[in-house]
Amino acid sequence: MTAVATLCAVVLGGWLTLRGQDRLWRRDTERQWRDIRLKAYTDFLTAMRELVAYLLTPTAVVTAVPRQSGEGDDMPFFDERGTRHKERLEATKSAIRLVAGTATVVEATDALVRRARLVAVARAEHGPDAIPPERFTELWAAERAFLRDARAEVGLVRPSDQ
């Protein structure tokens, strides 16, 4: 009887240890994914802000060309400096597609990039001081939507965000 009790205690102890280690591993993995996502989201927002800052410089060279697909929006093309900003924005957008945990974050990312492109098209048609204000209103609304969805995904929701 003592041997059976000892064996049961060893099995129970082993099972509890495994369960605890599994819980720690899951928590660590979740923390790693959270950190990866936060970095990707931060890099994306930085790239977007850098592109907008570039668009507001007087020396920015941007042209707008109608899309061949007939989607209606013109496509902005940049000089060498602007191309670096655009490529960084596109690369960080792709990184988000790789690590995002929800479709809403990906959709918010796409919407924000679309709004940034519309600002670039407006910059091609106007000077840096004459970009229509509604383009920026739409851009900042898309940024707020992205931030709301990204914060919710990584668990950084404040009571005022709900």
Side-chain angles (χ1 to χ4, degrees), residues 111-123:
L112 186 51
V113 169
R114 226 178 354 268
R115 296 298 178 212
R117 284 182 185 147
L118 289 174
V119 170
V121 168
R123 173 60 174 89

Side-chain angles (χ1 to χ4, degrees), residues 36-109:
I36 289 167
R37 288 181 178 120
L38 278 173
K39 173 122 176 62
Y41 300 162
T42 302
D43 289 348
F44 171 71
L45 286 170
T46 301
M48 191 275 300
R49 289 291 183 126
E50 287 173 353
L51 177 65
V52 171
Y54 164 76
L55 292 171
L56 294 175
T57 62
T59 58
V61 178
V62 185
T63 56
V65 177
R67 291 183 186 214
Q68 292 179 347
S69 65
E71 292 181 24
D73 293 338
D74 290 346
M75 189 67 172
F77 288 91
F78 305 91
D79 64 354
E80 186 177 325
R81 282 187 325 138
T83 298
R84 284 193 300 267
H85 293 298
K86 178 192 167 277
E87 288 172 352
R88 180 154 186 261
L89 181 66
E90 294 293 333
T92 57
K93 175 185 157 190
S94 295
I96 286 177
R97 288 181 169 280
L98 285 172
V99 301
T102 63
T104 56
V105 171
V106 173
E107 292 164 3
T109 303

Side-chain angles (χ1 to χ4, degrees), residues 7-49:
L7 182 60
C8 286
V10 168
V11 169
L12 181 63
W15 179 76
L16 289 173
T17 301
L18 284 175
R19 189 163 175 218
Q21 287 177 346
D22 183 57
R23 197 174 311 142
L24 286 173
W25 180 82
R26 286 176 196 260
R27 194 175 319 138
D28 190 42
T29 300
E30 288 173 14
R31 189 177 306 121
Q32 287 175 347
W33 272 109
R34 179 179 177 259
D35 292 347
I36 289 167
R37 288 181 178 120
L38 278 173
K39 173 122 176 62
Y41 300 162
T42 302
D43 289 348
F44 171 71
L45 286 170
T46 301
M48 191 275 300
R49 289 291 183 126

